[in-house]
Amino acid sequence: MIQLGDYVIYIHSLKGFQLVRLVEIFENRQFITIELLDGSGHLSVSGSSVRPLYIHNYNRDNILKMFGFSRIENKGRYKYSLGNLIISSCTIVCEETSELIFTSLCVTDFSEIQIDIRRYIKDNKVDMNRFYQDYQPIQTINDLINVVIEYNFNLDFERILIDNINLF
């Protein structure tokens, strides 16, 4: 969910799309105010004209690299490290429910733990909401920024995003 202060893409810009910051929300997200990061001011726009900056498999390595993460291969899988912060994803095969699950990036080193997936089964299906309560997900740039701040890394997020807007 988009929150105040989040970086988002404004998709109805005359420039094609534009990186902006959400600064105000009105009438249950129908109208919002965005700050244009090029310094040209604020706009009030429809809430449907912005979207989160998702981290996808195709841009994951580049996004994490621009934030200073190192990629480490371990047992044929990748994990990413920034100081003492390690994030990774995993593939889960749940035989009880016949599900194959590819997780989002999470704040954990999946190569070092054994997951008892049975504890997340509810109504004969893996409940990923419960899973993500135990393994903090990183699905958007704002999730990543919040985790990096939580681990006390001081980065110029706005400059990093502006310099790398082509990744989105």
Side-chain angles (χ1 to χ4, degrees):
M1 177 194 292
I2 296 174
Q3 301 175 29
L4 288 178
D6 280 0
Y7 293 98
V8 294
I9 290 289
Y10 175 44
I11 56 178
H12 295 297
S13 169
L14 293 176
K15 297 178 182 179
F17 65 91
Q18 199 170 1
L19 180 67
V20 298
R21 190 151 194 188
L22 185 63
V23 293
E24 211 167 5
I25 298 173
F26 299 101
E27 297 179 31
N28 201 21
R29 300 197 193 302
Q30 289 185 13
F31 300 100
I32 59 173
T33 301
I34 54 176
E35 174 187 8
L36 303 174
L37 296 185
D38 64 6
S40 61
H42 294 77
L43 288 176
S44 291
V45 299
S46 163
S48 64
S49 64
V50 298
R51 68 168 176 80
L53 295 163
Y54 287 106
I55 300 173
H56 298 284
N57 286 338
Y58 68 85
N59 65 4
R60 172 189 295 187
D61 285 349
N62 290 329
I63 288 173
L64 293 171
K65 184 177 179 181
M66 77 182 189
F67 276 86
F69 281 84
S70 300
R71 186 173 81 168
I72 304 163
E73 185 174 352
N74 187 357
K75 302 174 188 169
R77 302 280 305 164
Y78 295 111
K79 61 183 176 181
Y80 303 87
S81 170
L82 179 65
N84 63 340
L85 170 58
I86 297 197
I87 60 177
S88 63
S89 61
C90 70
T91 303
I92 300 169
V93 177
C94 183
E95 294 175 3
E96 290 87 346
T97 64
S98 301
E99 291 178 271
L100 176 64
I101 300 165
F102 300 95
T103 70
S104 297
L105 285 171
C106 295
V107 182
T108 195
D109 183 353
F110 284 116
S111 68
E112 300 294 328
I113 62 173
Q114 190 72 23
I115 299 169
D116 180 8
I117 199 64
R118 293 174 296 191
R119 64 183 276 202
Y120 302 104
I121 295 175
K122 181 179 177 185
D123 298 328
N124 201 34
K125 188 174 180 184
V126 176
D127 183 347
M128 292 306 292
N129 289 327
R130 288 177 56 197
F131 178 86
Y132 287 132
Q133 287 174 2
D134 289 344
Y135 302 102
Q136 181 182 357
I138 300 174
Q139 299 172 329
T140 68
I141 286 297
N142 295 298
D143 295 339
L144 181 61
I145 288 171
N146 291 336
V147 167
V148 168
I149 290 170
E150 183 181 314
Y151 276 74
N152 296 315
F153 291 101
N154 188 15
L155 303 176
D156 185 350
F157 302 112
E158 200 162 294
R159 176 57 32 215
I160 290 169
L161 293 173
I162 290 170
D163 289 348
N164 295 280
I165 190 65
N166 62 317
L167 295 177
F168 305 98

